[in-house]
Amino acid sequence: MSIDVTISENFNDEYWMQLAYEQAALAASQGEIPVGAVIVSQEKVIGAGYNAPIKQSDPTAHAEIQALRAACQSLNNYRLPDDAILYVTLEPCTMCVGALIHARIKKVVFATTEPKAGSLVSARQLLENGYYNHKFVFEQGCMQAECSLQLSEFFKQRREEKKKIRLLKTSLND
């Protein structure tokens, strides 16, 4: 999944997170939990992805993994450049943190925390408690309100759809 980006001097965390947010919207449009990610190196997107475990029948198809795969394939290398930064709309889980360590990401910027599965600051703080051959820095909160709302709206809509199905089943059984 590639994204064309024109060169500009106005690149900042919000700019890149907006691209991740757009990736998350693609996930939502396909019925997937709206999480999106982009990996940036030398002010260019080298990998992008969105959640697609249902569509791909692949439990590892998280946005971060999709972006890592795209970046590594485009570079023909399983390691990322020294300046690579991941922008992701939701705090990474344990699996994704592990993959980011192996790929040697420099930095992770995430929008909103994930209380149940987040593995940087929420449910676990893996980088504080483990002995890893690589560690990365991370920041949280960039576009937090927008990304949190995107997730909340998705789950609200999903609950409403499930309620309609239950009501339909109940009325058919009457």
Side-chain angles (χ1 to χ4, degrees), residues 3 78 86 97 124:
I3 296 177
Y78 73 109
L86 171 76
V97 169
R124 284 161 291 289

Side-chain angles (χ1 to χ4, degrees), residues 11-14 16-17 37-42 46-47 64 67-68 71 80-90 92 96-97 99-111 120 127 134-142:
F11 292 147
N12 58 25
D13 287 347
E14 289 78 20
W16 300 116
M17 189 63 75
V38 296
I39 298 175
V40 176
S41 175
Q42 298 179 1
I46 59 171
E64 302 93 325
L68 277 172
L80 296 171
D82 292 342
D83 68 335
I85 301 173
L86 171 76
Y87 292 87
V88 62
T89 58
L90 185 65
C96 293
V97 169
L100 293 164
I101 290 169
H102 286 289
R104 303 293 196 265
I105 196 83
K106 177 184 179 182
K107 181 178 179 180
V108 172
V109 178
F110 66 92
L120 292 176
L127 296 181
H134 174 77
K135 289 188 177 182
F136 54 83
V137 296
F138 58 86
E139 293 178 12
Q140 70 183 75
C142 178

Side-chain angles (χ1 to χ4, degrees), residues 33 42 59 121 146 149 155 162:
I33 295 172
Q42 298 179 1
V121 299
E146 297 91 330
L149 180 62
F155 286 114
K162 286 183 179 182

Side-chain angles (χ1 to χ4, degrees), residues 6-168:
T6 56
I7 300 300
S8 166
E9 294 180 16
N10 296 326
F11 292 147
N12 58 25
D13 287 347
E14 289 78 20
Y15 176 86
W16 300 116
M17 189 63 75
Q18 179 62 39
L19 296 178
Y21 180 87
E22 291 166 9
Q23 289 290 305
L26 291 173
S29 73
Q30 297 175 21
E32 300 277 2
I33 295 172
V35 180
V38 296
I39 298 175
V40 176
S41 175
Q42 298 179 1
E43 295 191 345
K44 293 180 183 172
V45 173
I46 59 171
Y50 55 85
N51 252 15
I54 298 167
K55 179 181 171 190
Q56 294 186 11
S57 299
D58 179 359
T60 69
H62 291 194
E64 302 93 325
I65 302 297
Q66 302 285 71
L68 277 172
R69 287 177 178 152
C72 291
Q73 287 173 0
S74 74
L75 299 168
N76 199 29
N77 194 335
Y78 73 109
R79 301 267 198 232
L80 296 171
D82 292 342
D83 68 335
I85 301 173
L86 171 76
Y87 292 87
V88 62
T89 58
L90 185 65
E91 179 183 2
C93 71
T94 301
M95 173 186 70
C96 293
V97 169
L100 293 164
I101 290 169
H102 286 289
R104 303 293 196 265
I105 196 83
K106 177 184 179 182
K107 181 178 179 180
V108 172
V109 178
F110 66 92
T112 192
T113 57
E114 212 300 22
K116 294 180 183 177
S119 293
L120 292 176
V121 299
S122 296
R124 284 161 291 289
Q125 298 81 40
L126 291 181
L127 296 181
E128 293 178 18
N129 301 323
Y131 300 98
Y132 302 107
N133 58 352
H134 174 77
K135 289 188 177 182
F136 54 83
V137 296
F138 58 86
E139 293 178 12
Q140 70 183 75
C142 178
M143 289 184 58
Q144 188 278 331
E146 297 91 330
C147 295
S148 181
L149 180 62
Q150 186 182 47
L151 285 158
S152 296
E153 290 295 320
F154 175 82
F155 286 114
K156 180 181 176 184
Q157 181 181 355
R158 184 184 266 183
R159 284 189 302 273
E160 289 171 1
E161 289 170 2
K162 286 183 179 182
K163 184 177 179 180
K164 286 179 186 175
I165 291 170
R166 275 195 313 273
L167 291 173
L168 182 62

